[in-house]
Amino acid sequence: CMAGILATPPPASAFDLTGFGGKLGYLAPESRDGTLAVGAHLEFEQSGSLVHLLPNLMYWKAGDLRDLSANADLYYHFVHEGQVTPFVGAGLGVNSFRDDRSNQSETKLGLNLIGGLRFPAPAAHYFLEGRYTVSNITQFALLGGITFHGWPAH
């Protein structure tokens, strides 16, 4: 009987789409002047979990260089929804760099390291985020944003 209980797999728990939003802030790319960065994201979570999956797009342009990155970031919130909470995260990104002066472009993988604070609101939450991206052009960003809760988690 015990072997049957141990051999039974636990039920799978999927990530459900629970929100969408955007971010805006200051980004300092390696060897370049700082610039404005903008982004948009979706938020997926498992009901009752402190782990959130945030696929997102970010864009910045500094002088003749620009980057559009598609990222898959995983965040861990230390406190459940409805309270101010710190969070940490990591993820992978595909950075599409374009140099307008030389008319050259390249695509490189990047590692994202993230930390911040999340603030609850009735139909959304706000956040402040620090983001460090390790790629062929290292980047550091300070961003603020909002996530609208459009879909309840199941």
Side-chain angles (χ1 to χ4, degrees):
C1 181
M2 183 58 100
I5 292 172
L6 293 175
T8 304
S13 184
F15 280 84
D16 295 314
L17 179 62
T18 57
F20 63 95
K23 56 181 93 176
L24 179 69
Y26 176 81
L27 184 135
E30 176 183 2
S31 303
R32 304 228 187 272
D33 290 336
T35 188
L36 180 70
V38 297
H41 62 272
L42 297 174
E43 184 166 7
F44 294 85
E45 64 181 291
Q46 292 175 317
S47 181
S49 172
L50 298 175
V51 175
H52 296 216
L53 178 62
L54 280 94
N56 63 87
L57 292 173
M58 286 191 56
Y59 175 81
W60 58 265
K61 182 174 185 196
D64 293 328
L65 183 66
R66 57 186 153 152
D67 178 29
L68 176 63
S69 61
N71 304 288
D73 298 325
L74 197 64
Y75 289 48
Y76 176 82
H77 302 271
F78 291 94
V79 179
H80 284 286
E81 291 292 328
Q83 301 175 50
V84 173
T85 179
F87 63 88
V88 295
L92 291 176
V94 177
N95 295 280
S96 297
F97 297 105
R98 173 100 178 138
D99 187 329
D100 293 333
R101 186 178 345 182
S102 66
N103 202 25
Q104 294 182 344
S105 60
E106 63 180 334
T107 302
K108 298 289 184 178
L109 282 177
L111 172 66
N112 303 319
L113 303 172
I114 304 149
L117 282 173
R118 184 170 153 150
F119 306 91
H125 67 261
Y126 298 95
F127 59 89
L128 295 174
E129 172 182 294
R131 170 181 287 266
Y132 183 71
T133 300
V134 180
S135 187
N136 65 323
I137 298 176
T138 301
Q139 307 156 38
F140 177 74
L142 292 174
L143 305 158
I146 187 169
T147 301
F148 298 98
H149 300 291
W151 301 272
H154 300 318

